[in-house]
Amino acid sequence: MNASIVTPKPVNPPKELTKLSQAYIVKATIAILSILLFFVLYTSLIIALFYLVYVAITYEVGSINKLTILIKLGAIAGSVMLALFTLKFIFKLKNHKPDNRIKLDKKENEELFSFIDDICKSTGAPKPKNIYVDPDVNAYVSYTNVWLSLFLPTKKELTIGLGLVSSLNLSEFKAVVAHEFGHFAQRSMKIGSYIHSANTIIHGMIFSRDKWDEILEQWRGSDIRLSFAAWIITPVIWVIRQLLMLFYMLLNRMHSLLSQEMEFNADKVAVKVAGSDAIVSALWRLEHGFTNWNTIVSNAFHASKKEVYSKNLYHHKGIALEKQKENFTTILNDLPVDHNGSKVFFSISENAKVSMYASHPPNALREKSAKSPFLGCEIDTRSPWILFSNKLLLQEKLTQLVYEKYLQKKPTQFVEEIDFQQFIEAESVENSLFEEYENTFQNRFITIPSIAKIDLLDTISTSLDDLKKEVAILMLPVKDIENLLQKANEIASGTTKEKKLVYKDKVYTKKDIQIVYDILIADREALFFSSFTAWDEKFIGYFYQLAKQKQQSEVLIKRYEQHQKIIALFQFLLASKNEMLTKISQLQSIGEVTQTMVDNLANDIKDKVKHINAELMQFYTIDFIPLPNIETVAELKNALFDGGQLIEEKGRIFENNGINRIITAIDNGIVSCNRIENKSLEQILKTHKELLQN
């Protein structure tokens, strides 16, 4: 191995460091027992139902007449339907292979493979059969064949995200890869394959509706003399689905608990080869790297609407990281220090997004585990890119993959790096403009009065300083609610020691946390509606009068009018999506539904799509004032939806995946509308600033 790519290792790590904890062993045992219980009961159900088929066929009828023949045939048909119900989902198990990654050739990546071989020796883990790279900020280990892994000791594969490589130094990268090799050595990884298979079967039996359900529905709709068996097995299917729902929750809960122990153990493996600080600082940097990469991909998406494509998105990620370096270093230096002289990266009260079924424990707990005991080690600050001899080619290949797989684009022409960077710069928000007014516009729409009402405001009734003081006071109860929202998230995720939240003299425990969360959101919206309208009018009136004095009111009025229409479209899209989802949820809550009910809902959604398109056509008639990166109405159309409108899906949208395409398109439109609304408001605030400076 090339000596230049050797990284420091901890001196004399404890031999018991990576030994499985008692909690790990107990949770693994419980998870295994849960899986065994499911498969025993599932197999028993299959055997019992096929025995029922046998009994239905062989049972002797005492006297043969039209009624007994119908009962005999109904019993056979009903038992066969039940038996098929338990089997049909097994055939939906697939050996899924990700299509967003590229396999690395060992001869072309000798430094990387040597580096990984060294980690294998240090961790005692088997070498991966293959190494892949994908575009994201991640790394993971998987079986080469999920099906075979259920029965045989199948080899594993390592996937490394190039976004990860861009975000870490060499020691941190080594720690993350070693963490994944910690999973390589865990036999309990196989449990995940069994749970994945069980989940596929259970999820299909509970939620999937296919030709089998359609046949049952048609059968129930036939003559009662023929359909009585269908009506008998319908509640039986309901009971089976409810029992399976309990198993679904149990299996995932057990696997979640085990997965968290697996993460702690894999972190210990990383500590053994790179020290305590490397894995913890890697987790901390990855949060920022993930946000940074999402911003780059988001910018690429918006740029693609203008046919602006970059040949190498990782080049621009590097620029963004370099620009943030000084601020990042300041944040790092300001972190507290523990008794080992190590930075404390995470707090137990952080607002971590950890759900009941999350596979990864909170980062604060991972930091505590990785530092118990603490292993010091020198940090190698070089970039992991030195491991990749064909760095630029790989970055360009993965960039092309991002466009094709993530953005559904196939670019053939690319702009210069400086031109794409200019697009990114134009997308960045001047946060100072919003911070000047207590970020009051962050979670609400500004209320712009009618032009006639603005014109009636003949004098400037207050000073700008008074407006700023007033909005600071108005925002106090809003910030209190937002602090409670954060606390509710922490209680729900288990990242705080507190177990209850008190609001309006009422105590809410963890099981009620969603209730109080919804109440807090509703109260914040009520505050925005009741308390800020008058301030918004004074705020708009102040700058309108200032513009009139300087004979610059015409452009400002046009910006106000344009912003009103953008908000109206934004609210309409949000309401339309919520209306669709509410109707779908209402139909699902019924339980057994008919095809007619589904078709009627599909027609309602198709009508709503037509209504949305009509509203869009009306919106495009505005006297458009250019915004950054959106200079014309044609660009405005594409910025919202490809072609300016939603595609009007045909056929049975709940069967041909049309409903998912509709909801996804509306979601993208909402995101784009939010982008346009932010740009419009930013331009209004910039215009206000210019009025003060002129």
Side-chain angles (χ1 to χ4, degrees):
M1 182 174 171
N2 190 327
S4 65
I5 310 183
V6 171
T7 59
K9 299 178 182 179
V11 179
N12 298 323
K15 292 182 179 180
E16 301 292 308
L17 182 66
T18 58
K19 182 180 178 181
L20 298 181
S21 67
Q22 191 63 36
Y24 186 113
I25 295 169
V26 169
K27 290 173 183 177
T29 303
I30 294 173
I32 291 169
L33 290 174
S34 300
I35 294 167
L36 287 174
L37 178 60
F38 166 72
F39 280 106
V40 166
L41 292 177
Y42 180 59
T43 304
S44 300
L45 180 63
I46 293 173
I47 292 170
L49 291 177
F50 271 91
Y51 179 72
L52 185 63
V53 174
Y54 170 77
V55 171
I57 294 172
T58 60
Y59 187 80
E60 293 185 6
V61 179
S63 59
I64 300 176
N65 55 52
K66 187 182 288 186
L67 178 61
T68 57
I69 290 172
L70 285 174
I71 292 173
K72 176 82 171 178
L73 292 174
I76 293 171
S79 59
V80 169
M81 283 290 285
L82 284 171
L84 290 176
F85 175 75
T86 61
L87 284 180
K88 61 174 182 165
F89 301 104
I90 291 177
F91 301 106
K92 294 187 178 182
L93 291 173
K94 296 178 181 178
N95 184 41
H96 174 69
K97 286 286 186 180
D99 62 355
N100 69 329
R101 59 183 190 170
I102 295 173
K103 183 178 176 181
L104 294 181
D105 185 281
K106 187 172 183 178
K107 292 181 180 179
E108 296 176 0
N109 296 275
E110 291 182 1
E111 291 89 350
L112 176 66
F113 276 78
S114 295
F115 186 80
I116 287 175
D117 285 349
D118 184 64
I119 295 176
C120 288
K121 293 174 185 176
S122 299
T123 59
K127 295 179 183 178
K129 181 179 180 181
N130 299 308
I131 300 176
Y132 292 85
V133 288
D134 74 10
D136 303 317
V137 183
N138 69 351
Y140 64 90
V141 58
S142 58
Y143 286 105
T144 53
N145 189 302
V146 175
W147 260 105
L148 290 179
S149 72
L150 298 175
F151 313 104
L152 301 173
T154 311
K155 288 194 173 184
K156 298 161 189 162
E157 298 172 330
L158 176 68
T159 300
I160 300 168
L162 288 197
L164 178 100
V165 179
S166 295
S167 304
L168 306 177
N169 62 41
L170 195 55
S171 285
E172 292 163 342
F173 177 75
K174 179 183 180 181
V176 171
V177 174
H179 171 99
E180 295 308 319
F181 279 109
H183 289 310
F184 266 66
Q186 291 169 337
R187 292 182 180 179
S188 50
M189 235 191 95
K190 187 180 286 289
I191 295 173
S193 294
Y194 284 103
I195 289 182
H196 171 75
S197 301
N199 278 346
T200 301
I201 295 169
I202 296 173
H203 189 275
M205 293 177 75
I206 296 172
F207 302 109
S208 179
R209 300 295 183 268
D210 53 21
K211 195 67 177 177
W212 185 94
D213 297 274
E214 190 175 324
I215 291 170
L216 182 61
E217 182 187 331
Q218 291 171 353
W219 189 9
R220 286 199 306 264
S222 63
D223 190 294
I224 189 61
R225 290 170 294 182
L226 300 173
S227 65
F228 72 92
W231 287 104
I232 291 172
I233 69 171
T234 294
V236 176
I237 295 297
W238 184 86
V239 171
I240 291 173
R241 281 176 167 154
Q242 297 309 306
L243 291 173
L244 287 172
M245 177 67 82
L246 295 176
F247 263 104
Y248 186 76
M249 296 173 66
L250 173 66
L251 286 173
N252 284 282
R253 178 58 174 159
M254 292 302 101
H255 188 232
S256 171
L257 293 174
L258 175 60
S259 294
Q260 293 189 24
E261 290 297 330
M262 290 170 68
E263 292 302 317
F264 286 133
N265 180 256
D267 283 345
K268 293 288 190 182
V269 175
V271 170
K272 181 180 178 181
V273 301
S276 295
D277 279 333
I279 186 62
V280 181
S281 63
L283 291 172
W284 186 72
R285 287 182 190 274
L286 286 179
E287 290 189 353
H288 298 276
F290 183 78
T291 301
N292 177 276
W293 177 240
N294 277 352
T295 301
I296 295 295
V297 174
S298 176
N299 286 333
F301 170 71
H302 295 308
S304 71
K305 299 292 189 95
K306 294 184 66 172
E307 299 295 322
V308 173
Y309 298 101
S310 168
K311 201 170 185 178
N312 186 349
L313 292 175
Y314 296 92
H315 169 78
H316 302 287
K317 177 175 172 60
I319 291 175
L321 289 173
E322 189 61 33
K323 286 187 174 183
Q324 296 167 6
K325 190 173 182 179
E326 184 176 344
N327 183 52
F328 197 80
T329 302
T330 300
I331 295 171
L332 183 62
N333 290 337
D334 289 342
L335 289 174
V337 178
D338 62 19
H339 64 280
N340 298 305
S342 170
K343 293 289 185 181
V344 179
F345 291 91
F346 301 103
S347 165
I348 194 65
S349 63
E350 68 179 341
N351 185 22
K353 298 179 180 177
V354 181
S355 72
M356 179 180 179
Y357 300 110
S359 61
H360 288 60
N363 285 335
L365 296 183
R366 292 181 70 178
E367 178 173 16
K368 182 179 179 182
S369 174
K371 292 180 177 180
S372 303
F374 180 81
L375 262 68
C377 184
E378 183 184 347
I379 297 294
D380 190 327
T381 59
R382 289 178 294 173
S383 168
W385 283 118
I386 63 174
L387 300 170
F388 297 83
S389 56
N390 54 353
K391 165 186 165 182
L392 291 178
L393 180 61
L394 205 55
Q395 290 176 344
E396 289 175 4
K397 283 183 178 180
L398 268 294
T399 294
Q400 189 75 18
L401 195 147
V402 168
Y403 281 120
E404 291 181 6
K405 300 296 181 183
Y406 295 15
L407 308 182
Q408 285 74 54
K409 302 287 185 179
K410 290 189 176 181
T412 55
Q413 292 185 328
F414 302 92
V415 300
E416 296 294 328
E417 289 175 349
I418 190 171
D419 294 326
F420 194 85
Q421 190 60 34
Q422 285 176 352
F423 182 94
I424 290 176
E425 299 295 339
E427 287 295 301
S428 61
V429 177
E430 290 188 24
N431 291 321
S432 60
L433 292 170
F434 296 90
E435 291 167 357
E436 194 172 345
Y437 302 102
E438 303 290 326
N439 288 314
T440 183
F441 307 116
Q442 188 173 26
N443 291 307
R444 71 180 184 89
F445 296 114
I446 186 172
T447 302
I448 298 179
S450 66
I451 304 307
K453 189 171 184 178
I454 295 176
D455 250 339
L456 291 176
L457 302 171
D458 292 328
T459 59
I460 300 177
S461 58
T462 187
S463 69
L464 185 58
D465 284 342
D466 288 338
L467 284 170
K468 289 180 179 179
K469 290 175 184 176
E470 185 179 348
V471 78
I473 293 171
L474 290 174
M475 284 297 293
L476 289 176
V478 173
K479 290 177 179 178
D480 287 341
I481 287 178
E482 288 175 347
N483 288 335
L484 288 172
L485 284 169
Q486 179 173 325
K487 186 176 178 181
N489 276 328
E490 291 167 0
I491 292 172
S493 64
T495 56
T496 177
K497 293 180 180 179
E498 297 187 51
K499 303 297 181 184
K500 59 185 180 180
L501 186 148
V502 180
Y503 182 58
K504 292 183 176 178
D505 298 324
K506 187 171 180 180
V507 179
Y508 297 88
T509 59
K510 186 173 182 177
K511 64 183 179 67
D512 304 317
I513 212 69
Q514 186 61 50
I515 296 172
V516 69
Y517 190 90
D518 292 340
I519 292 171
L520 288 166
I521 290 290
D523 286 356
R524 187 181 67 177
E525 290 303 308
L527 266 177
F528 285 150
F529 181 77
S530 63
S531 303
F532 287 81
T533 302
W535 184 87
D536 285 350
E537 289 181 354
K538 285 188 284 186
F539 177 70
I540 294 297
Y542 175 88
F543 284 102
Y544 172 71
Q545 294 299 333
L546 187 60
K548 278 184 71 174
Q549 289 177 6
K550 299 187 176 185
Q551 298 180 340
Q552 298 175 31
S553 61
E554 186 176 346
V555 172
L556 189 59
I557 286 292
K558 286 183 178 180
R559 287 207 177 275
Y560 289 158
E561 289 176 330
Q562 178 166 290
H563 196 72
Q564 282 178 317
K565 291 176 180 176
I566 292 169
I567 289 174
L569 179 65
F570 197 166
Q571 292 173 324
F572 175 71
L573 290 176
L574 288 169
S576 297
K577 178 194 170 184
N578 289 336
E579 181 184 339
M580 289 182 188
L581 294 179
T582 299
K583 287 183 176 180
I584 293 170
S585 179
Q586 288 171 345
L587 189 64
Q588 289 174 331
S589 67
I590 295 173
E592 296 296 330
V593 298
T594 65
Q595 187 62 51
T596 300
M597 295 165 69
V598 174
D599 288 343
N600 287 339
L601 176 56
N603 289 332
D604 287 346
I605 290 173
K606 289 176 185 178
D607 288 341
K608 176 56 71 174
V609 169
K610 290 178 181 178
H611 187 195
I612 292 173
N613 283 338
E615 289 292 323
L616 287 169
M617 293 307 295
Q618 180 62 35
F619 174 72
Y620 297 142
T621 62
I622 65 174
D623 184 13
F624 183 62
I625 302 176
L627 298 171
N629 286 335
I630 307 174
E631 284 84 25
T632 65
V633 172
E635 289 185 359
L636 177 65
K637 289 181 178 180
N638 283 326
L640 281 167
F641 297 97
D642 288 338
Q645 289 194 307
L646 281 171
I647 294 175
E648 297 184 9
E649 297 286 343
K650 307 296 182 184
R652 288 183 168 175
I653 58 176
F654 287 99
E655 295 176 15
N656 62 18
N657 206 37
I659 184 62
N660 289 332
R661 290 192 292 271
I662 290 170
I663 298 297
T664 299
I666 294 174
D667 275 336
N668 289 338
I670 289 170
V671 170
S672 297
C673 208
N674 182 52
R675 169 189 176 231
I676 294 167
E677 192 262 345
N678 280 332
K679 285 178 177 291
S680 175
L681 182 57
E682 184 180 40
Q683 292 307 302
I684 287 173
L685 296 180
K686 277 186 175 180
T687 304
H688 288 176
K689 197 82 171 177
E690 290 166 1
L691 287 169
L692 293 170
Q693 293 171 348
N694 290 342

